[in-house]
Amino acid sequence: MSFLMSSASAPRTEKVPATAPVFELIEVEKVFQVRPPNSGLSRKTVGLRALDGVRLRVDTGTSIALVGESGSGKSTLLRVLLGLDAPTGGRALYHGAPIREARAKGRDFARDVAMVYQDARGSLDPRMTVEALIAEPLRHFNIVQKDQIKARVAELLDRVGLPTDAGRRYAAGLSGGQVRRVAIARALASEPSVLVADEAVSGLDVSTQAQLLTLLRGLQRDMNLTLVFITHDLGVASYLCDEIAIMYLGRIVETGPTDVVLNAPAHPYSAALRAAAPRFFEPMPEPLSGEIPSPLDLPPGCRFSTRCPAAQPDCGERDPQLGRFGAHRAVACLHPLTNPQA
Ligand SMILES: Nc1ncnc2c1ncn2[C@@H]1O[C@H](COP(=O)(O)OP(=O)(O)OP(=O)(O)O)[C@@H](O)[C@H]1O
Ligand code: SF4
Ligand SMILES: [Mg+2]
């Protein structure tokens, strides 16, 4: 990737230990104070535990998918990784230093960790041309000399599969797929080493989705990007990401290599998600049974016990923590479905 090697790029100033993971979350908790439903005029608030003892490690150059039903805490986790929200408990580290401190220090974190938002169109200023949108981070981070900006924008447009003349257009005149490509080009402009994306391909038709996934996979490989990718779609996770972390009600309940977890899920929730995923040429599967409990009213013991087909009497009494399961994965279940060697 020639544009990543530019000698004109502003040097990064902070030295970090080479061995520290890009991100490390240790028992991270995020509690929001909310007014309980049906609380009338009362101003009393209660704590909603959106993240509850999350442990996660993301190493340089890996790609990890965060998967889980709506409300499981995926976006909250991402906001913690980006330093936008401070955890209310535990430690959230970026290359061994607290993420919030790294972010507050300034440009290096902002330049190194790029984000593609779920609402790509909403994240782009409608009054700016595509060229101006992509040039903005080039200028802000002093990535290239002023007279090279136009050429670099063209290079980035080409890299994401858009013609050079797309630079003269505005976001309103672009299709959903083109808007996502612009958002990706803008994210790449700062020459990040980490790309974080929240549902970056959802809501698109299947062929546009496939094109964008191919693009992201190519970028990740060619640029050795570390990729953190939120998705509801196990197919997307398995195509794009080496690792998967499955979330349920604020916890990671299973994590490990994507193919291992999806081929032989150890947690009954992972198995239920896999069984509920649509497959070509097969009838639509049954959705996961039962309602997801409110995070304000968690069941005792295992939080999945109200929906778990494998639940046993002790599941209502003991709260399983995420623990090592075999060489490469971790599971939070008292009665895993497979053995650790699977
Ligand atoms: N700012 C906030 N204030 C209060 N509660 C919040 C806030 N942000 C998130 N929550 C709550 O935290 C929980 C996790 O929300 P989050 O948005 O992280 O879930 P998600 O997995 O991203 O869901 P989705 O798939 O719908 O995007 C939910 O119960 C949500 O209502
Ligand atoms: S601990 Fe029990 S209820 Fe929870 S996922 Fe495992 S088997 Fe199911
Ligand atoms: Mg979300």
Side-chain angles (χ1 to χ4, degrees):
M1 292 303 304
S2 61
F3 64 75
L4 288 175
M5 305 297 179
S6 165
S7 54
S9 297
R12 292 164 203 252
T13 51
E14 290 161 26
K15 284 259 183 287
V16 292
T19 51
V22 180
F23 292 116
E24 191 169 19
L25 303 185
I26 305 165
E27 294 297 330
V28 162
E29 193 183 79
K30 179 69 191 174
V31 178
F32 292 108
Q33 290 302 319
V34 297
R35 289 179 56 217
N38 309 321
S39 58
L41 295 174
S42 162
R43 289 170 169 256
K44 206 175 140 224
T45 61
V46 292
L48 184 152
R49 209 168 276 274
L51 297 177
D52 187 4
V54 170
R55 293 177 216 165
L56 183 71
R57 180 187 164 111
V58 182
D59 285 308
T60 302
T62 55
S63 48
I64 183 160
L66 301 178
V67 179
E69 282 169 290
S70 189
S72 56
K74 305 179 297 292
S75 296
T76 306
L77 178 46
L78 216 66
R79 291 182 63 79
V80 169
L81 290 182
L82 291 168
L84 299 171
D85 275 347
T88 46
R91 302 182 70 207
L93 306 174
Y94 167 73
H95 289 297
I99 293 176
R100 296 277 289 179
E101 279 176 25
R103 187 182 172 86
K105 266 191 193 162
R107 288 157 60 100
D108 281 2
F109 182 87
R111 180 181 160 183
D112 201 41
V113 181
M115 173 75 190
V116 179
Y117 290 91
Q118 182 165 8
D119 177 12
R121 199 179 290 280
S123 73
L124 303 176
D125 187 336
R127 294 161 304 180
M128 291 168 79
T129 62
V130 165
E131 181 178 316
L133 286 166
I134 299 173
E136 195 175 49
L138 293 175
R139 279 203 189 88
H140 181 76
F141 294 111
N142 199 17
I143 303 290
V144 288
Q145 308 283 356
K146 216 170 165 191
D147 59 351
Q148 292 166 13
I149 288 179
K150 224 176 175 55
R152 179 60 61 89
V153 170
E155 209 175 340
L156 284 158
L157 286 172
D158 181 55
R159 188 67 187 87
V160 298
L162 287 171
T164 307
D165 64 10
R168 292 198 297 273
R169 297 165 70 183
Y170 292 85
L174 301 175
S175 69
Q178 289 170 327
V179 163
R180 311 279 173 120
R181 287 174 196 269
V182 172
I184 294 169
R186 189 170 143 90
L188 295 177
S190 67
E191 300 182 350
S193 73
V194 185
L195 191 64
V196 176
D198 195 348
E199 301 279 9
V201 298
S202 64
L204 298 170
D205 65 78
V206 177
S207 81
T208 309
Q209 217 180 64
Q211 288 168 11
L212 280 172
L213 288 174
T214 308
L215 168 66
L216 284 167
R217 197 158 84 160
L219 291 172
Q220 200 248 335
R221 200 179 37 221
D222 297 347
M223 298 163 65
N224 196 31
L225 281 174
T226 303
L227 185 65
V228 182
F229 199 86
I230 285 191
T231 177
H232 280 94
D233 188 329
L234 292 184
V236 167
S238 96
Y239 178 79
L240 199 58
C241 296
D242 317 321
E243 303 276 326
I244 193 166
I246 297 190
M247 297 191 70
Y248 188 72
L249 278 175
R251 288 247 176 101
I252 291 175
V253 295
E254 180 161 7
T255 181
T258 312
D259 54 345
V260 176
V261 171
L262 295 184
N263 285 332
H267 196 286
Y269 180 60
S270 317
L273 281 186
R274 199 191 64 164
R279 291 185 190 88
F280 278 122
F281 309 121
E282 288 184 25
M284 278 302 279
E286 286 295 312
L288 189 59
S289 66
E291 287 285 307
I292 190 164
S294 160
L296 293 173
D297 187 21
L298 291 175
C302 173
R303 58 195 60 203
F304 189 52
S305 58
T306 51
R307 305 168 84 189
C308 179
Q312 299 190 27
D314 59 343
C315 298
E317 288 154 21
R318 291 167 54 206
D319 183 9
Q321 304 296 313
L322 190 68
R324 190 168 277 288
F325 190 75
H328 303 293
R329 61 174 153 171
V331 178
C333 174
L334 301 173
H335 307 286
L337 300 177
T338 55
N339 67 53
Q341 277 70 47

